[in-house]
């Protein structure tokens, strides 16, 4: 028969687990600082330190010549420090979207903007589980059919290919892309 102490331990562990999960799970997105950003197994802190080092060496590229723009930002932020002006520079923008009950899944979004619209989207998934991999793969295969040719301003997707959390993370990435692409 379990003791009173065992029952207290079970209740404490359950409460601790619920407390951890209750603050997590909100999708977030941040501009990426390089083509290898994402869930590579590194800690967020080590990625942030690399971002800060690379920022010291360059000021970032904000030209509208169609080059890839990689913007480092605070890893805890869900948006860029720029404001969405509704007027967007042509170029390719890379954003990392994070989601899941404890933020364990990420997608790298590479969004090409041309004349204020979405020209192309490439998604690279970093799934935590095989179920996540299935959803990310189906989302990546379907997203271009949903957003290509659409205006970037106000663009938001509903559940794409049955992947609701991946869609939410993509919408957060769109927010950051609008801010990063905005002509200030």
């Amino acid at each position: 028969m379990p003791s009173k102490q065992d029952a207290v331990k079970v209740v404490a562990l359950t409460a601790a687990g619920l407390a951890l999960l209750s603050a997590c799970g909100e999708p977030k997105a941040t501009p990426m600082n390089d083509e290898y950003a994402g869930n590579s197994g590194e800690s967020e802190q080590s990625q942030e330190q690399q971002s800060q080092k690379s920022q010291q060496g360059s000021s970032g590229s904000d030209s509208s010549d169609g080059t890839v723009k990689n913007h480092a930002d605070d890893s805890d932020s869900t948006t860029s420090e720029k404001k969405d002006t509704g007027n967007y520079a042509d170029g390719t923008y890379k954003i990392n979207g994070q989601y899941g009950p404890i933020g364990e899944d990420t997608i790298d979004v590479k969004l090409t903007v041309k004349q204020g619209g979405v020209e192309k989207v490439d998604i690279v998934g970093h799934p935590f589980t095989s179920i996540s991999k299935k959803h990310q793969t189906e989302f990546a295969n379907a997203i271009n059919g949903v957003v290509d040719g659409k205006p970037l301003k106000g663009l938001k997707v509903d559940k794409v290919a049955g992947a609701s959390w991946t869609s939410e993370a993509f919408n957060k990435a769109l927010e950051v892309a609008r801010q990063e692409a905005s002509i200030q």
Side-chain angles (χ1 to χ4, degrees), residues 120-136:
K120 184 177 184 203
V121 175
D122 290 310
I123 303 288
V124 176
H126 303 282
F128 187 70
T129 66
S130 60
I131 293 169
S132 295
K133 182 177 182 172
K134 176 184 178 292
H135 286 300
Q136 287 181 354

Side-chain angles (χ1 to χ4, degrees), residues 4 6 10 13 19 28 44 55 58 64 67 74 83 90-91 103 112 116-117 120 123-124 131 133 150 154 165 167 170:
K4 192 174 185 177
D6 289 339
V10 168
L13 285 173
K28 65 181 183 177
E44 282 187 19
Q55 271 186 324
S58 70
S64 58
T67 59
D74 179 2
K83 293 191 183 217
D90 288 352
T112 303
K120 184 177 184 203
I123 303 288
V124 176
I131 293 169
K133 182 177 182 172
K150 300 272 175 36
W165 284 1
S167 298
F170 180 76

Side-chain angles (χ1 to χ4, degrees), residues 102-131:
I102 55 173
E104 70 277 14
D105 292 303
T106 64
I107 56 170
D108 296 342
V109 178
K110 182 177 164 186
L111 180 78
T112 303
V113 176
K114 188 168 185 175
Q115 298 178 345
V118 175
E119 183 175 65
K120 184 177 184 203
V121 175
D122 290 310
I123 303 288
V124 176
H126 303 282
F128 187 70
T129 66
S130 60
I131 293 169

Side-chain angles (χ1 to χ4, degrees), residues 146-147 151-158 170-171 174 178:
V146 175
V147 299
L152 181 58
K153 185 173 183 172
L155 183 61
K156 184 176 180 180
V157 300
D158 291 324
F170 180 76
N171 284 331
L174 284 174
R178 281 190 285 273

Side-chain angles (χ1 to χ4, degrees), residues 69-104:
K69 293 152 184 73
N70 297 316
H71 302 275
D73 200 5
D74 179 2
S75 64
D76 292 327
S77 174
T78 57
T79 60
S80 166
E81 290 183 13
K82 297 180 178 182
K83 293 191 183 217
D84 181 356
T85 63
N87 189 13
Y88 308 113
D90 288 352
T92 300
Y93 301 88
K94 293 181 179 184
I95 304 100
N96 176 263
Q98 182 179 359
Y99 65 96
I102 55 173
E104 70 277 14

